[in-house]
Structures are given as structure tokens and as C-alpha cells.
Amino acid sequence: MQKTINIITLGCSKNLVDSERLARQLAALNYSVVFDSNRFTPIVIINTCGFIHDAKEESIQTILQTVQAKEQGKIEQVFVIGCLSERYANELRSEISEVDAYFGARNFAEVLQALQAQQTDELLHERIISTPKHISYLKLAEGCNRKCAFCAIPAIRGAHVSTPIELLVKEAQFLAAQGVKELSLISQDLSYYGVDLYKKNALADLLPQLEAIDGLEWIRLHYLYPNNFPEEILPIMQQSQKICHYIDIPFQHSSGVVLNAMRRGFSEEETWKLIETMRSAVPDIAIRTSLIVGHPGETEQEFEKLLQFVSHAQFDRVGVFTYSHEDGTYAAQNYDDIISQREKEARRDAVMALQNEISLQKNKKIIGKTVKVLVDRKEGSSYVGRTQYDAYEVDNEVIINFAKRLAVGKFYGIRIDDADAYELMGVAP
């Protein structure tokens, strides 16, 4: 009898890709696979996140809730995989022993073996898409070679390992055949993609091959490290009809003192030069960055420098995280975490308040213009979509008051007639 497996994915889009690959393997073995955090099925697999404190807490709470459902007879088996399990497998086995088995972030073949099954290598490039069918991710590499003081990812995921171009193209072709229109390229560090295989960054070699795939209309770049940024991709982006004029690049801070404490490997001067280079090569580029406040070494003076940086840089999109002392990181082993959580949150709120005003002013400039929008979903009496300058689930949205029926997953020219800090409002012609 066919059994149903529910895969609950926590954390980042890289985890999501792992879950989708596992789902395809399970489906080939005659399991019915769903992605629904609120559903009880005979077997539940929880793909956990162990990156920062809040993510770890969410993962633990999800495990506990699922175990409780098992004790009530609603679930037969619970398996835990992913980053939290990779970091704390022994502790989890001891403290939450009701889980049937724990696996790390890189040994999914063992998950299949626990279900009396074997991995099908011929299907490794295939996935069951859990996002809306017109959106998907392409993971270019696993692991990371950087030595950032605050980050535990290299310890969890290991060294950087790039996927060869020909395999990525094969996977992208598969996704396009499933109806994917927007493909976001992800890894821990796209700036390092290909260095281990081709002795150079190979994004400039990969992008034209992805552009040539029929069906793909938007290609988006996420997580490019500022150090050794591949500037050769910028003219490709500017000339392309498919590569979104969008870069996700985590600068993390602007102060030289804090950047040194973070072991980021680049300076404030290099940061400004790179921003200028990107905007010169692609004048309408949307730059998304991530920042960390409250890192050891961030005095009030250094935080003021960060505020000035945000004000002057005028980023299009910003995410702010409060520093978290993580087990095994350089920062946790060498620095004292002396800034209170209350102060960290106050600094985060100050940065976001500044960015809110920047975003509002930028959005107001779009009022009266007609922009290309990809419709993601219908919501009440409106449709919700995004421009090429906005990534799925993390950036601005366009609220479309429609006069006719629109199709999810299709592109439309939308006239913008109002805006707030994180939304554009418009009408379909």
C-alpha cells in the first residue's frame, strides 16, 4: 500500500532544494509526498535549520510538536534531517529520543535506506517542486570556504563543492519543462562558484547556457560574496533579456573595525568601489544586502557608521539580523558577546526604520509607470506579483487591482498608481 510522507522544510531555500530532491527519490519508490507543516501523515521528515538561535528554536519546537503527534497515534514514524541534526545529533538523540532516526545535512541516501529503499542516481537532477510551479531554485554548490567569524555554515555543510555546469543545465532544463519561469541561482557563495572545478569563477560561463533554455524568463542571482565578486557577469546581466537586474550581496557591515572582527576579508573602501562598479555597469540594478548588528566590536560609534552607510548607499532591499553567538564559530571562541539583546534589537529597528524611508521614496518614484510583473498568486479580490527587482518571499510585492482575470505564473504590464514602503499598488490594463 502506498504510504504518504510529509516533508517539513525549515530554514533557507537551499534546504528547500534538498527536500525537493529527496521528495523525487521517494516518489520514484512509490511514496506519496506532500509538503505541509500542518498535516499528519504516516511518515514525517523534518528538514531542520541550525544557522542561528531563532532558527534552532523553531526546529526544536517543530520536532517536539511532531513527536507529540506521534505519541497520540497520528504519526507512525518521525525522521529528522538537515543542519540542526548535523550539528547536534548526539544531543538530540539523548533529549528527544522519540524520533525514529536523526540524519545530517549531507547523507540523504541514509534516509532512503531507513525506509528500506535505495537512491536512484538517474533522478538526481530531478525534483518535486514545492514552490508555486512558476518559481524554483537552482543550487549551484554545497558548503563554503569562507572564514567569517560569526558563521557556522562551513562547520555544518563542509567545504565548497561546485556542481558541474552540464549537470546544472540538465537540472534547469528539467525545471523549465515543469513550467518554471523564474529560476533563482543559490549557494552559500556564488562568488566562489566553479573555482574548485574550473580554477576560476564560472558564473559567466553558466549564465549564457541557462539563458538559452526555452521557457525560463527570469534568472536571479542570490548570495554573491563581496570578496572576489565576479565583475565579468555585470555586462552579461546588462545585455541579457532574462537575467534580472538584481544582486543579492551580503555586505554585513561597513565599519572597518567590525569587518575585521567579522573576518570578512574586504574593506569599507572596497565596498564602496564595488557598489559603484555594479551601478555603473547596470544603471537600474536593484541591490539587496544583509547586515548584522550587535557583532562583537560594534560600539555605538561603529553602529553610527553603519547607519551612515545605509543612508548613503541607498540600497533597494535590506535585511537586518541581530548577532547570535553560535557554537563552534570563531566569534564564539574568541569574543565576548557583551551587547544586550535589547540593544541589538534597538539597533536592528533603527536600521530598518531608515531603510523603510529609503524604500518608500524609491517606490514613490515608480508611481505612474508601467512595469513588468510576474503574478505569484490570487489573494482575495486582488492578485499579488513582483517586478524583476524583487525576489520571491523576501522583497517587495505588487498588489494588482484587476479589471479582468489574470493568470498566476504569467507576466503583465501593470500601471503603478500608489506605493508604500514595501508594496506597489497598480492596475492591469
Side-chain angles (χ1 to χ4, degrees):
M1 182 179 297
Q2 185 182 55
K3 277 195 173 182
T4 300
I5 294 182
N6 183 15
I7 301 180
I8 300 173
T9 304
L10 306 171
C12 66
S13 54
K14 295 176 284 294
N15 264 16
L16 188 70
V17 170
D18 292 340
S19 292
E20 292 178 347
R21 287 174 175 164
L22 178 59
R24 181 65 185 94
Q25 294 285 326
L26 292 168
L29 298 167
N30 201 37
Y31 285 98
S32 173
V33 182
V34 297
F35 303 93
D36 187 346
S37 59
N38 296 313
R39 182 172 172 180
F40 298 126
T41 60
I43 303 171
V44 175
I45 298 174
I46 307 171
N47 192 353
T48 59
C49 179
F51 183 43
I52 58 177
H53 176 76
D54 289 347
K56 289 187 285 188
E57 285 296 312
E58 181 186 20
S59 293
I60 291 170
Q61 288 304 313
T62 302
I63 295 170
L64 291 173
Q65 291 166 5
T66 307
V67 164
Q68 184 179 38
K70 179 187 176 185
E71 292 174 341
Q72 294 170 348
K74 299 175 181 178
I75 294 170
E76 296 174 12
Q77 291 178 295
V78 178
F79 299 101
V80 175
I81 64 176
C83 293
L84 187 77
S85 187
E86 181 78 29
R87 293 186 75 182
Y88 303 108
N90 291 334
E91 294 92 329
L92 288 167
R93 289 188 185 101
S94 174
E95 296 179 14
I96 315 179
S97 58
E98 297 86 351
V99 169
D100 290 272
Y102 290 93
F103 303 94
R106 292 168 281 173
N107 52 351
F108 287 173
E110 295 180 15
V111 181
L112 297 172
Q113 291 173 10
L115 295 167
Q116 288 78 52
Q118 295 294 319
Q119 179 172 283
T120 306
D121 292 344
E122 294 80 6
L123 300 178
L124 289 177
H125 69 287
E126 297 187 10
R127 288 148 51 190
I128 294 179
I129 300 172
S130 60
T131 52
K133 65 180 182 179
H134 61 283
I135 303 165
S136 193
Y137 301 95
L138 186 67
K139 185 159 71 167
L140 273 57
E142 187 61 86
C144 185
N145 283 8
R146 306 292 185 178
K147 305 296 183 182
C148 299
F150 53 82
C151 186
I153 291 298
I156 299 172
R157 290 281 182 171
H160 180 102
V161 179
S162 299
T163 300
I165 288 176
E166 61 271 19
L167 296 183
L168 293 173
V169 172
K170 186 177 182 180
E171 185 172 350
Q173 289 170 333
F174 169 82
L175 294 170
Q178 308 308 303
V180 170
K181 302 296 182 184
E182 178 183 9
L183 190 64
S184 290
L185 310 189
I186 59 173
S187 76
Q188 291 302 137
D189 178 13
L190 289 186
S191 292
Y192 205 86
Y193 172 70
V195 173
D196 53 325
L197 293 179
Y198 310 111
K199 310 307 177 186
K200 65 171 186 176
N201 183 285
L203 272 181
D205 299 318
L206 172 65
L207 289 174
Q209 296 195 46
L210 296 179
E211 285 184 278
I213 297 174
D214 291 337
L216 296 181
E217 295 195 43
W218 278 357
I219 299 169
R220 190 179 301 280
L221 303 180
H222 280 283
Y223 319 128
L224 284 134
Y225 198 96
N227 198 356
N228 304 122
F229 178 90
E231 295 181 13
E232 62 272 17
I233 69 173
L234 295 173
I236 298 175
M237 176 183 289
Q238 175 62 15
Q239 297 163 15
S240 173
Q241 298 300 310
K242 290 188 175 182
I243 302 173
C244 296
H245 290 188
Y246 176 101
I247 290 285
D248 185 347
I249 181 166
F251 287 115
Q252 305 297 16
H253 217 279
S254 63
S255 159
V257 171
V258 180
L259 289 172
N260 286 336
M262 289 179 167
R263 307 208 306 174
R264 291 289 283 170
F266 60 95
S267 67
E268 181 178 358
E269 292 74 20
E270 290 170 319
T271 298
W272 282 116
K273 182 179 178 180
L274 180 53
I275 292 171
E276 181 181 350
T277 296
M278 290 191 290
R279 286 176 169 161
S280 176
V282 187
D284 67 327
I285 194 168
I287 302 177
R288 156 170 273 280
T289 196
S290 299
L291 305 170
I292 296 175
V293 295
H295 190 280
E298 187 190 67
T299 62
E300 291 185 9
Q301 181 181 4
E302 305 309 322
F303 176 65
E304 285 300 320
K305 290 181 181 179
L306 179 62
L307 288 176
Q308 293 171 15
F309 173 63
V310 172
S311 178
H312 294 157
Q314 294 284 299
F315 293 113
D316 300 272
R317 317 285 179 250
V318 173
V320 184
F321 298 88
T322 57
Y323 171 75
S324 174
H325 234 28
E326 294 301 319
D327 297 339
T329 61
Y330 181 89
Q333 294 170 349
N334 292 276
Y335 306 141
D336 293 326
D337 186 14
I338 61 174
I339 302 174
S340 70
Q341 186 62 27
R342 181 177 180 180
E343 176 61 23
K344 291 174 185 175
E345 292 173 0
R347 292 181 184 184
R348 177 198 61 200
D349 293 346
V351 175
M352 288 310 304
L354 174 57
Q355 181 59 31
N356 287 355
E357 184 59 32
I358 292 170
S359 182
L360 176 61
Q361 296 307 313
K362 284 178 174 284
N363 282 350
K364 284 183 175 180
K365 293 179 181 178
I366 306 174
I367 294 175
K369 297 181 180 180
T370 297
V371 296
K372 183 179 179 180
V373 173
L374 174 59
V375 175
D376 285 333
R377 66 187 185 276
K378 188 175 185 295
E379 195 171 275
S381 60
S382 301
Y383 286 95
V384 181
R386 291 169 294 112
T387 70
Q388 68 165 315
Y389 309 108
D390 299 289
Y392 176 63
E393 288 194 323
V394 296
D395 289 327
N396 294 2
E397 293 183 320
V398 181
I399 310 301
I400 307 166
N401 298 309
F402 63 96
K404 61 180 182 180
R405 186 175 181 85
L406 304 181
V408 172
K410 300 293 185 182
F411 295 85
Y412 297 90
I414 304 298
R415 189 185 76 247
I416 304 303
D417 55 18
D418 200 2
D420 60 26
Y422 296 111
E423 289 180 340
L424 301 172
M425 280 67 77
V427 294

